[in-house]
mmCIF file with all atom_site columns, all heavy atoms in Angstrom:
data_model
loop_
_atom_site.group_PDB
_atom_site.id
_atom_site.type_symbol
_atom_site.label_atom_id
_atom_site.label_alt_id
_atom_site.label_comp_id
_atom_site.label_asym_id
_atom_site.label_entity_id
_atom_site.label_seq_id
_atom_site.pdbx_PDB_ins_code
_atom_site.Cartn_x
_atom_site.Cartn_y
_atom_site.Cartn_z
_atom_site.occupancy
_atom_site.B_iso_or_equiv
_atom_site.pdbx_formal_charge
_atom_site.auth_seq_id
_atom_site.auth_comp_id
_atom_site.auth_asym_id
_atom_site.auth_atom_id
_atom_site.pdbx_PDB_model_num
ATOM 1   N N   . ILE N 1 14 ? -32.244 -45.891 22.682 1.00 88.00 ? 739 ILE N N   1
ATOM 2   C CA  . ILE N 1 14 ? -33.608 -45.541 23.070 1.00 88.00 ? 739 ILE N CA  1
ATOM 3   C C   . ILE N 1 14 ? -34.041 -44.314 22.277 1.00 88.00 ? 739 ILE N C   1
ATOM 4   O O   . ILE N 1 14 ? -33.393 -43.272 22.325 1.00 88.00 ? 739 ILE N O   1
ATOM 5   C CB  . ILE N 1 14 ? -33.708 -45.250 24.578 1.00 88.00 ? 739 ILE N CB  1
ATOM 6   C CG1 . ILE N 1 14 ? -33.295 -46.485 25.372 1.00 88.00 ? 739 ILE N CG1 1
ATOM 7   C CG2 . ILE N 1 14 ? -35.119 -44.805 24.951 1.00 88.00 ? 739 ILE N CG2 1
ATOM 8   C CD1 . ILE N 1 14 ? -33.146 -46.237 26.856 1.00 88.00 ? 739 ILE N CD1 1
ATOM 9   N N   . LYS N 1 15 ? -35.123 -44.453 21.541 1.00 86.00 ? 740 LYS N N   1
ATOM 10  C CA  . LYS N 1 15 ? -35.646 -43.334 20.756 1.00 86.00 ? 740 LYS N CA  1
ATOM 11  C C   . LYS N 1 15 ? -36.718 -42.571 21.510 1.00 86.00 ? 740 LYS N C   1
ATOM 12  O O   . LYS N 1 15 ? -36.824 -41.362 21.390 1.00 86.00 ? 740 LYS N O   1
ATOM 13  C CB  . LYS N 1 15 ? -36.216 -43.845 19.416 1.00 86.00 ? 740 LYS N CB  1
ATOM 14  C CG  . LYS N 1 15 ? -35.159 -44.405 18.510 1.00 86.00 ? 740 LYS N CG  1
ATOM 15  C CD  . LYS N 1 15 ? -34.182 -43.318 18.147 1.00 86.00 ? 740 LYS N CD  1
ATOM 16  C CE  . LYS N 1 15 ? -33.065 -43.821 17.287 1.00 86.00 ? 740 LYS N CE  1
ATOM 17  N NZ  . LYS N 1 15 ? -32.019 -42.849 17.098 1.00 86.00 ? 740 LYS N NZ  1
ATOM 18  N N   . ASN N 1 16 ? -37.520 -43.291 22.295 1.00 78.00 ? 741 ASN N N   1
ATOM 19  C CA  . ASN N 1 16 ? -38.625 -42.653 22.985 1.00 78.00 ? 741 ASN N CA  1
ATOM 20  C C   . ASN N 1 16 ? -39.087 -43.565 24.115 1.00 78.00 ? 741 ASN N C   1
ATOM 21  O O   . ASN N 1 16 ? -38.894 -44.772 24.061 1.00 78.00 ? 741 ASN N O   1
ATOM 22  C CB  . ASN N 1 16 ? -39.772 -42.395 22.005 1.00 78.00 ? 741 ASN N CB  1
ATOM 23  C CG  . ASN N 1 16 ? -40.756 -41.380 22.521 1.00 78.00 ? 741 ASN N CG  1
ATOM 24  O OD1 . ASN N 1 16 ? -40.627 -40.862 23.623 1.00 78.00 ? 741 ASN N OD1 1
ATOM 25  N ND2 . ASN N 1 16 ? -41.764 -41.096 21.717 1.00 78.00 ? 741 ASN N ND2 1
ATOM 26  N N   . ARG N 1 17 ? -39.697 -42.972 25.132 1.00 69.00 ? 742 ARG N N   1
ATOM 27  C CA  . ARG N 1 17 ? -40.316 -43.739 26.211 1.00 69.00 ? 742 ARG N CA  1
ATOM 28  C C   . ARG N 1 17 ? -41.817 -43.595 26.077 1.00 69.00 ? 742 ARG N C   1
ATOM 29  O O   . ARG N 1 17 ? -42.338 -42.485 26.132 1.00 69.00 ? 742 ARG N O   1
ATOM 30  C CB  . ARG N 1 17 ? -39.854 -43.230 27.579 1.00 69.00 ? 742 ARG N CB  1
ATOM 31  C CG  . ARG N 1 17 ? -38.397 -43.464 27.861 1.00 69.00 ? 742 ARG N CG  1
ATOM 32  C CD  . ARG N 1 17 ? -37.948 -42.751 29.123 1.00 69.00 ? 742 ARG N CD  1
ATOM 33  N NE  . ARG N 1 17 ? -38.405 -41.364 29.205 1.00 69.00 ? 742 ARG N NE  1
ATOM 34  C CZ  . ARG N 1 17 ? -37.824 -40.328 28.605 1.00 69.00 ? 742 ARG N CZ  1
ATOM 35  N NH1 . ARG N 1 17 ? -36.761 -40.522 27.878 1.00 69.00 ? 742 ARG N NH1 1
ATOM 36  N NH2 . ARG N 1 17 ? -38.303 -39.115 28.734 1.00 69.00 ? 742 ARG N NH2 1
ATOM 37  N N   . ASN N 1 18 ? -42.484 -44.702 25.891 1.00 68.00 ? 743 ASN N N   1
ATOM 38  C CA  . ASN N 1 18 ? -43.941 -44.685 25.793 1.00 68.00 ? 743 ASN N CA  1
ATOM 39  C C   . ASN N 1 18 ? -44.503 -45.156 27.120 1.00 68.00 ? 743 ASN N C   1
ATOM 40  O O   . ASN N 1 18 ? -43.786 -45.638 27.972 1.00 68.00 ? 743 ASN N O   1
ATOM 41  C CB  . ASN N 1 18 ? -44.410 -45.621 24.670 1.00 68.00 ? 743 ASN N CB  1
ATOM 42  C CG  . ASN N 1 18 ? -43.757 -45.270 23.347 1.00 68.00 ? 743 ASN N CG  1
ATOM 43  O OD1 . ASN N 1 18 ? -43.632 -44.114 23.008 1.00 68.00 ? 743 ASN N OD1 1
ATOM 44  N ND2 . ASN N 1 18 ? -43.329 -46.288 22.621 1.00 68.00 ? 743 ASN N ND2 1
ATOM 45  N N   . GLY N 1 19 ? -45.771 -45.077 27.257 1.00 60.00 ? 744 GLY N N   1
ATOM 46  C CA  . GLY N 1 19 ? -46.369 -45.654 28.447 1.00 60.00 ? 744 GLY N CA  1
ATOM 47  C C   . GLY N 1 19 ? -47.260 -44.700 29.191 1.00 60.00 ? 744 GLY N C   1
ATOM 48  O O   . GLY N 1 19 ? -47.332 -43.512 28.910 1.00 60.00 ? 744 GLY N O   1
ATOM 49  N N   . GLU N 1 20 ? -47.922 -45.286 30.145 1.00 63.00 ? 745 GLU N N   1
ATOM 50  C CA  . GLU N 1 20 ? -48.879 -44.545 30.949 1.00 63.00 ? 745 GLU N CA  1
ATOM 51  C C   . GLU N 1 20 ? -48.409 -44.542 32.394 1.00 63.00 ? 745 GLU N C   1
ATOM 52  O O   . GLU N 1 20 ? -47.429 -45.171 32.748 1.00 63.00 ? 745 GLU N O   1
ATOM 53  C CB  . GLU N 1 20 ? -50.249 -45.231 30.847 1.00 63.00 ? 745 GLU N CB  1
ATOM 54  C CG  . GLU N 1 20 ? -50.736 -45.383 29.419 1.00 63.00 ? 745 GLU N CG  1
ATOM 55  C CD  . GLU N 1 20 ? -51.892 -46.359 29.305 1.00 63.00 ? 745 GLU N CD  1
ATOM 56  O OE1 . GLU N 1 20 ? -52.372 -46.850 30.329 1.00 63.00 ? 745 GLU N OE1 1
ATOM 57  O OE2 . GLU N 1 20 ? -52.286 -46.629 28.173 1.00 63.00 ? 745 GLU N OE2 1
ATOM 58  N N   . ASN N 1 21 ? -49.138 -43.830 33.195 1.00 63.00 ? 746 ASN N N   1
ATOM 59  C CA  . ASN N 1 21 ? -48.895 -43.795 34.633 1.00 63.00 ? 746 ASN N CA  1
ATOM 60  C C   . ASN N 1 21 ? -47.520 -43.241 34.967 1.00 63.00 ? 746 ASN N C   1
ATOM 61  O O   . ASN N 1 21 ? -47.034 -42.315 34.346 1.00 63.00 ? 746 ASN N O   1
ATOM 62  C CB  . ASN N 1 21 ? -49.110 -45.184 35.245 1.00 63.00 ? 746 ASN N CB  1
ATOM 63  C CG  . ASN N 1 21 ? -50.495 -45.729 34.929 1.00 63.00 ? 746 ASN N CG  1
ATOM 64  O OD1 . ASN N 1 21 ? -51.449 -44.988 34.791 1.00 63.00 ? 746 ASN N OD1 1
ATOM 65  N ND2 . ASN N 1 21 ? -50.585 -47.028 34.791 1.00 63.00 ? 746 ASN N ND2 1
ATOM 66  N N   . LYS N 1 22 ? -46.870 -43.864 35.941 1.00 68.00 ? 747 LYS N N   1
ATOM 67  C CA  . LYS N 1 22 ? -45.607 -43.338 36.448 1.00 68.00 ? 747 LYS N CA  1
ATOM 68  C C   . LYS N 1 22 ? -44.385 -44.052 35.876 1.00 68.00 ? 747 LYS N C   1
ATOM 69  O O   . LYS N 1 22 ? -43.266 -43.731 36.249 1.00 68.00 ? 747 LYS N O   1
ATOM 70  C CB  . LYS N 1 22 ? -45.596 -43.448 37.964 1.00 68.00 ? 747 LYS N CB  1
ATOM 71  C CG  . LYS N 1 22 ? -46.660 -42.595 38.618 1.00 68.00 ? 747 LYS N CG  1
ATOM 72  C CD  . LYS N 1 22 ? -46.593 -42.688 40.111 1.00 68.00 ? 747 LYS N CD  1
ATOM 73  C CE  . LYS N 1 22 ? -47.671 -41.811 40.724 1.00 68.00 ? 747 LYS N CE  1
ATOM 74  N NZ  . LYS N 1 22 ? -47.598 -41.786 42.171 1.00 68.00 ? 747 LYS N NZ  1
ATOM 75  N N   . ILE N 1 23 ? -44.589 -44.969 34.957 1.00 67.00 ? 748 ILE N N   1
ATOM 76  C CA  . ILE N 1 23 ? -43.451 -45.725 34.437 1.00 67.00 ? 748 ILE N CA  1
ATOM 77  C C   . ILE N 1 23 ? -42.457 -44.834 33.702 1.00 67.00 ? 748 ILE N C   1
ATOM 78  O O   . ILE N 1 23 ? -41.257 -44.902 33.974 1.00 67.00 ? 748 ILE N O   1
ATOM 79  C CB  . ILE N 1 23 ? -43.921 -46.927 33.584 1.00 67.00 ? 748 ILE N CB  1
ATOM 80  C CG1 . ILE N 1 23 ? -44.575 -47.964 34.500 1.00 67.00 ? 748 ILE N CG1 1
ATOM 81  C CG2 . ILE N 1 23 ? -42.756 -47.544 32.832 1.00 67.00 ? 748 ILE N CG2 1
ATOM 82  C CD1 . ILE N 1 23 ? -45.136 -49.167 33.791 1.00 67.00 ? 748 ILE N CD1 1
ATOM 83  N N   . PRO N 1 24 ? -42.871 -43.950 32.775 1.00 68.00 ? 749 PRO N N   1
ATOM 84  C CA  . PRO N 1 24 ? -41.875 -43.087 32.123 1.00 68.00 ? 749 PRO N CA  1
ATOM 85  C C   . PRO N 1 24 ? -41.091 -42.221 33.112 1.00 68.00 ? 749 PRO N C   1
ATOM 86  O O   . PRO N 1 24 ? -39.887 -42.044 32.963 1.00 68.00 ? 749 PRO N O   1
ATOM 87  C CB  . PRO N 1 24 ? -42.703 -42.227 31.174 1.00 68.00 ? 749 PRO N CB  1
ATOM 88  C CG  . PRO N 1 24 ? -43.921 -43.025 30.907 1.00 68.00 ? 749 PRO N CG  1
ATOM 89  C CD  . PRO N 1 24 ? -44.194 -43.759 32.189 1.00 68.00 ? 749 PRO N CD  1
ATOM 90  N N   . GLN N 1 25 ? -41.745 -41.713 34.130 1.00 74.00 ? 750 GLN N N   1
ATOM 91  C CA  . GLN N 1 25 ? -41.063 -40.902 35.134 1.00 74.00 ? 750 GLN N CA  1
ATOM 92  C C   . GLN N 1 25 ? -40.047 -41.736 35.913 1.00 74.00 ? 750 GLN N C   1
ATOM 93  O O   . GLN N 1 25 ? -38.940 -41.289 36.184 1.00 74.00 ? 750 GLN N O   1
ATOM 94  C CB  . GLN N 1 25 ? -42.091 -40.269 36.087 1.00 74.00 ? 750 GLN N CB  1
ATOM 95  C CG  . GLN N 1 25 ? -41.487 -39.300 37.070 1.00 74.00 ? 750 GLN N CG  1
ATOM 96  C CD  . GLN N 1 25 ? -40.849 -38.094 36.401 1.00 74.00 ? 750 GLN N CD  1
ATOM 97  O OE1 . GLN N 1 25 ? -41.307 -37.638 35.369 1.00 74.00 ? 750 GLN N OE1 1
ATOM 98  N NE2 . GLN N 1 25 ? -39.764 -37.607 36.976 1.00 74.00 ? 750 GLN N NE2 1
ATOM 99  N N   . ARG N 1 26 ? -40.407 -42.952 36.253 1.00 76.00 ? 751 ARG N N   1
ATOM 100 C CA  . ARG N 1 26 ? -39.498 -43.845 36.971 1.00 76.00 ? 751 ARG N CA  1
ATOM 101 C C   . ARG N 1 26 ? -38.276 -44.151 36.111 1.00 76.00 ? 751 ARG N C   1
ATOM 102 O O   . ARG N 1 26 ? -37.152 -44.186 36.609 1.00 76.00 ? 751 ARG N O   1
ATOM 103 C CB  . ARG N 1 26 ? -40.231 -45.144 37.335 1.00 76.00 ? 751 ARG N CB  1
ATOM 104 C CG  . ARG N 1 26 ? -39.389 -46.124 38.108 1.00 76.00 ? 751 ARG N CG  1
ATOM 105 C CD  . ARG N 1 26 ? -40.231 -47.320 38.574 1.00 76.00 ? 751 ARG N CD  1
ATOM 106 N NE  . ARG N 1 26 ? -39.415 -48.244 39.306 1.00 76.00 ? 751 ARG N NE  1
ATOM 107 C CZ  . ARG N 1 26 ? -38.724 -49.244 38.753 1.00 76.00 ? 751 ARG N CZ  1
ATOM 108 N NH1 . ARG N 1 26 ? -38.765 -49.438 37.466 1.00 76.00 ? 751 ARG N NH1 1
ATOM 109 N NH2 . ARG N 1 26 ? -38.003 -50.061 39.495 1.00 76.00 ? 751 ARG N NH2 1
#
Side-chain angles (χ1 to χ4, degrees):
I739 300 171
K740 294 297 178 189
N741 198 359
R742 293 171 314 279
N743 305 318
E745 304 165 5
N746 305 329
K747 296 182 180 184
I748 291 177
Q750 186 63 33
R751 181 173 180 272

